[in-house]
Amino acid sequence: MTFFVLGSKAERYPELMKRIHMEGHQIGIHNYSHLPNWLMSPRHIRNKHVHRSADIIERITGERPAFYRPPWGILNLGDLFALRKYRIVLWSIMGWDWGKGSKNIPLKERILDQLEPGSIILLHDSGDTWGAEPDAPSRMIASLEEVIDTIHIQGYECVRADELLHKPHDSRSDLSKGFRVG
């Protein structure tokens, strides 16, 4: 699996970052704080969010992240150029696991109704961002084991973004290779 983390959370929980890395999961960048990119210049995003977060994660794990998922999936056109050293990853299935409406339809149903080969599923572990319910992470985690078990029964495997997108975890993409949305 790939965990796209905020640099501020990585700083606050370095032992968790080490554990994620040691268990073989991939760590990607999700900005330093959870601000949408359209509120900031591409240079600010690159230097104060992405590079800063990559430095923090690399200090903790010894490996520099190569993948980036912008908050809310929002990019400036300039981000494509400013962040060309990173592989930008979005999602194909939104778990909708953070808000009030997430209580109405079980997470398993929301995911399985859309699941197909190559899907990238977006889930959240924080209830402290704008629009999130404080208990959303515990509800998501309580449902996740059943979701993973069902996915495996259906023949799917949970893999890292670099494995899914057929790129070595330490490679960088550039615009000449195309912009690929997961």
Side-chain angles (χ1 to χ4, degrees):
M1 289 189 207
T2 300
F3 293 84
F4 289 93
V5 301
L6 296 174
S8 60
K9 299 275 182 152
E11 275 182 324
R12 190 179 313 159
Y13 304 105
E15 293 304 315
L16 180 58
M17 294 298 101
K18 288 177 188 174
R19 179 179 170 196
I20 290 169
H21 179 71
M22 294 301 294
E23 289 183 5
H25 301 291
Q26 181 181 22
I27 298 175
I29 301 162
H30 191 50
N31 277 0
Y32 181 78
S33 59
H34 204 267
L35 295 172
N37 286 12
W38 55 268
L39 294 177
M40 302 173 282
S41 73
R43 182 178 180 177
H44 182 82
I45 294 162
R46 182 188 66 218
N47 296 333
K48 301 294 183 183
H49 286 272
V50 178
H51 287 341
R52 180 180 182 188
S53 297
D55 290 344
I56 292 165
I57 294 165
E58 184 175 25
R59 257 194 323 273
I60 294 169
T61 67
E63 186 174 313
R64 190 159 188 88
F67 286 67
Y68 172 66
R69 185 178 76 74
W72 293 289
I74 297 171
L75 290 166
N76 289 312
L77 183 57
D79 292 341
L80 296 175
F81 296 100
L83 301 174
R84 66 183 174 268
K85 291 183 178 180
Y86 298 90
R87 183 74 184 260
I88 297 172
V89 178
L90 298 177
W91 58 89
S92 51
I93 298 176
M94 173 84 72
W96 298 102
D97 56 339
W98 69 88
K100 291 180 177 150
S102 66
K103 295 177 183 177
N104 299 335
I105 301 172
L107 180 63
K108 178 180 171 183
E109 185 177 327
R110 285 192 303 273
I111 291 173
L112 295 178
D113 283 351
Q114 302 173 67
L115 189 63
E116 57 185 51
S119 292
I120 295 177
I121 303 167
L122 175 63
L123 299 172
H124 297 81
D125 68 348
S126 179
D128 62 2
T129 57
W130 181 85
E133 288 289 307
D135 68 336
S138 60
R139 290 195 325 264
M140 183 274 293
I141 290 169
S143 301
L144 192 55
E145 186 174 351
E146 183 182 13
V147 170
I148 291 172
D149 288 346
T150 303
I151 286 171
H152 285 143
I153 289 168
Q154 292 183 358
Y156 291 99
E157 179 181 0
C158 296
V159 298
R160 297 164 39 132
D162 56 352
E163 295 169 327
L164 179 66
L165 300 173
H166 308 293
K167 302 274 290 185
H169 73 278
D170 63 346
S171 71
R172 308 289 190 260
S173 64
D174 60 42
L175 290 178
S176 67
K177 293 179 183 169
F179 175 71
R180 185 172 183 176
V181 177

